[in-house]
Amino acid sequence: MIRKTSGTKYRMSFGTGGLFLNESIAIARLYQELGDWTAVKKAAGEQGVIPFRKKSSVTRSVREIANRLEVLKADEIDLLCHGDHADQLSVLWLALCRGYRFIGEFAVELLSERFLSFRTHITYDDFDAFYAAKAEWEPELEAISTSTREKLRQILFRLMREAGILNQDDHICRVLLSPSFSGLVTQSDPYELRYFPGTELDRPREA
């Protein structure tokens, strides 16, 4: 089954940067303290959570990280703040897949399917073919310039490596989810386990 992730349009602002692990944890902790994303964005900018010199770069990065984290539930935010390193990476990958329809569909339709068929090496050509197939039906993707598309491709591969979805040789990794994290996802929406390659192998077959 193929299903759209949250929202009907493709938001492609993930080209802002990488996974921002430490920065995301800091901003998530601010949210636990303040309980309001507008206040969090202001405080994160003032406290120098993002170590950039240009104020415009700081503002853009803080906004992007906060937008990613806004799709998480309270228990998921708490796991990001207090879980171990593997759980923190899993939460951030979940946020990317949930918040960006393109990444969610890439994870389910390409990564997980390729992993199950033992074709684990992913290349830029695979991204280009996937993007082209989506762009045939989605005008907002077709309208994106070639240079921006190439940047998005580069950033997505970086995100996948940093999240442990790809290794440094761009082979898909089987993700072993902790009981704490998989329990949260299963309670929320079991379909989202498909964002993590190999989790299909851990689930019982449907009758």
Side-chain angles (χ1 to χ4, degrees), residues 75-93:
D75 288 344
E76 296 161 351
I77 289 281
D78 194 61
L79 191 60
L80 174 60
C81 291
H82 305 293
D84 63 23
H85 182 68
D87 279 337
Q88 290 170 333
L89 294 180
S90 294
V91 172
L92 289 182
W93 181 247

Side-chain angles (χ1 to χ4, degrees), residues 106-107 109-130 153 156-157 160-161 165-173 197:
F106 190 88
E109 299 170 28
L110 193 143
L111 297 179
S112 288
E113 291 300 319
R114 288 282 292 270
F115 184 86
L116 290 173
S117 62
F118 305 104
R119 297 178 295 131
T120 62
H121 188 237
I122 298 296
T123 68
Y124 277 10
D125 287 343
D126 294 315
F127 175 96
D128 291 342
F130 185 85
R153 181 181 63 189
L156 180 55
F157 272 72
M160 291 189 290
R161 295 185 197 110
I165 301 299
L166 295 184
N167 65 18
Q168 294 305 309
D169 296 320
D170 293 336
H171 284 272
I172 306 167
C173 300

